Amino acid sequence: MANAISASSEIVTYFTTLPLLELIAVVASLLYVVLAAKGSIWCWPAAILSTVLYTVIFYDVYLWMDSVLQLYYLLMAVYGWFCWHKNKPSNTQTDSNRLLYSQWTLQRHSRIIVLLTLVSLVLGWVMATYTLAHFPYLDSATTVFAVFATYLITQKVLENWLYFIVIDLVSIYLYVEKGLIPTAALFGSFVILAAYGYWQWRKQYKLQFTQEHNNLCINNSVAG
């Protein structure tokens, strides 16, 4: 009980004493996930803001690899905004031109998971052999899979949220082991938001499927 109270106190103290720049970055990150879960295109401006700020923050504290990773996220945020804006619904746009919610087959995901696992093992070995990094294999795996899952969001692939649930759970373990309790708490909220995002996107996917089925029936009726 005492440990739980101490951890809670540490979390409150951490978030109430954050530097303004980092506080804005945290809020923007949470806003990005919430808006992405709702399928709102405004998630991408929030992502751009958070990644720009974290790029600066990580660079200033000499976490240069994390800073480089944020640059990738920045590029993906711009790319995602372009994809969603270009293919957003309009009165003049046909469904065939829209970026719709989609699901990938289990076989496809299985092949990708095997490939990403191999890449993670190679990077983990490099980090374990040539650096002083802690948890090199888990750290490499969360990074590699997060890079891929971010791309899935830009394409509105439903399963991206399942990837992020696993990634965030592993990240929580890493942060707890390193004593970064507030960061672990932040990623705990990301797990909940990812579950919410999966539920929302799955609901939209089913509605979309029903609408496409109804449109097909109407077209077949007219043609007949």
Side-chain angles (χ1 to χ4, degrees):
M1 178 64 71
N3 290 336
I5 295 175
S6 176
S8 299
S9 176
E10 183 181 352
I11 292 169
V12 172
T13 301
Y14 176 81
F15 284 109
T16 55
T17 58
L18 276 178
L20 180 60
L21 198 66
E22 190 173 355
L23 180 60
I24 295 173
V26 169
V27 172
S29 296
L30 289 169
L31 188 60
Y32 156 68
V33 179
V34 171
L35 292 174
K38 292 180 175 295
S40 171
I41 194 173
W42 292 105
C43 70
W44 299 115
I48 290 172
L49 175 60
S50 67
T51 52
V52 167
L53 293 178
Y54 273 124
T55 299
V56 175
I57 291 169
F58 289 146
Y59 183 84
D60 284 344
V61 296
Y62 298 96
L63 293 174
W64 289 349
M65 288 305 297
D66 286 324
S67 188
V68 170
L69 182 60
Q70 291 301 314
L71 287 176
Y72 165 80
Y73 288 142
L74 174 60
L75 292 176
M76 293 305 294
V78 173
Y79 174 67
W81 196 1
F82 170 77
C83 288
W84 286 27
H85 178 74
K86 180 182 178 182
N87 299 285
K88 67 180 181 180
S90 68
N91 293 331
T92 59
Q93 191 176 42
T94 62
D95 285 345
S96 60
N97 293 328
R98 287 172 49 194
L99 181 61
L100 302 175
Y101 294 99
S102 63
Q103 280 188 307
W104 286 4
T105 64
L106 179 60
Q107 291 79 4
R108 186 176 186 181
H109 281 295
S110 297
R111 290 194 296 269
I112 291 172
I113 289 172
V114 170
L115 176 61
L116 294 180
T117 300
L118 291 175
V119 173
S120 300
L121 289 173
V122 171
L123 289 179
W125 178 84
V126 171
M127 296 292 289
T129 305
Y130 297 104
T131 74
L132 299 176
H134 294 179
F135 304 102
Y137 291 98
L138 285 180
D139 195 18
S140 296
T142 55
T143 300
V144 169
F145 278 87
V147 164
F148 173 68
T150 302
Y151 169 75
L152 293 185
I153 292 183
T154 69
Q155 302 303 302
K156 288 191 174 180
V157 178
L158 175 63
E159 292 82 17
N160 87 83
W161 298 109
L162 299 180
Y163 282 95
F164 274 116
I165 288 173
V166 176
I167 292 167
D168 292 339
L169 286 172
V170 174
S171 296
I172 290 172
Y173 167 75
L174 292 176
Y175 294 138
V176 168
E177 286 295 309
K178 297 301 296 181
L180 302 174
I181 304 301
T183 304
L186 180 62
F187 272 75
S189 68
F190 285 152
V191 171
I192 297 172
L193 289 172
Y196 171 73
Y198 180 77
W199 176 71
Q200 283 281 17
W201 280 32
R202 185 171 179 80
K203 182 171 65 174
Q204 291 299 318
Y205 177 77
K206 289 181 177 180
L207 289 173
Q208 172 187 289
F209 179 83
T210 301
Q211 183 180 7
E212 290 177 338
H213 177 73
N214 291 338
N215 289 341
L216 181 61
C217 290
I218 292 172
N219 291 336
N220 289 337
S221 177
V222 172

